[in-house]
Amino acid sequence: FQCISHRSSKAIHYLALAKAFSIATNRHMLRNNVDDLRERMRLLQHDRRANIDLLETNKLSNENEIRRLKEENEKLRLKMSDLQKRVELDHGSNHFDFKSMKKFVLQKRSEYDAQKASRNKSDTIL
């Protein structure tokens, strides 16, 4: 009977050692997994910071570009306004010149027609 109990005692001892080894191995694996996760988190944190820096740089660049385009747009609007005013002034003065010239031409035509009619009358009398 003692032999069986000694065998079962050894078996229990081996089972306990196996369980202890298994627990130690699991703890070691768990520590490795935790360390691996910490390293990944650290790398992700660096990537996140780098992305934030890149986004901030792009944001600043875009703000500068928008500001530049707004200034350019304002300058172009002012130039266009000046050109429209010049065209209106030129067109207005040309329009005035055109009106006065048309009036002058019509007046000369009337004079010419009157003189022609007068000449035709005098030719008929002669």
Side-chain angles (χ1 to χ4, degrees), residues 28-114:
H28 181 69
M29 287 174 53
L30 185 61
R31 271 191 216 116
N32 284 343
N33 286 342
V34 168
D35 290 342
D36 185 46
L37 287 174
R38 282 187 182 145
E39 180 64 16
R40 286 183 186 181
M41 296 246 331
R42 188 184 65 76
L43 292 173
L44 287 172
Q45 189 71 1
H46 287 298
D47 286 349
R48 187 183 70 80
R49 285 187 189 131
N51 285 336
I52 288 173
D53 290 343
L54 183 63
L55 290 173
E56 288 295 324
T57 303
N58 286 341
K59 180 182 169 187
L60 183 63
S61 175
N62 288 343
E63 287 172 352
N64 290 336
E65 181 69 11
I66 288 169
R67 189 177 304 111
R68 186 190 66 78
L69 289 172
K70 282 182 177 179
E71 290 171 0
E72 183 180 339
N73 188 22
E74 182 65 24
K75 288 177 185 176
L76 289 173
R77 285 178 182 268
L78 289 173
K79 282 182 181 180
M80 189 170 98
S81 175
D82 287 345
L83 285 173
Q84 285 175 337
K85 287 177 185 175
R86 284 185 198 164
V87 166
E88 286 175 8
L89 289 175
D90 289 346
H91 180 68
S93 66
N94 287 342
H95 187 65
F96 176 74
D97 290 341
F98 178 76
K99 273 185 169 180
S100 63
M101 190 58 75
K102 185 177 179 181
K103 184 177 177 183
F104 177 75
V105 167
L106 289 174
Q107 183 182 5
K108 291 298 176 187
R109 261 192 201 155
S110 295
E111 288 175 11
Y112 173 78
D113 289 343

Side-chain angles (χ1 to χ4, degrees), residues 13-33:
H13 179 69
Y14 286 129
L15 285 175
L17 283 176
K19 190 171 185 179
F21 180 75
S22 175
I23 290 172
T25 304
N26 286 340
R27 282 185 185 162
H28 181 69
M29 287 174 53
L30 185 61
R31 271 191 216 116
N32 284 343
N33 286 342

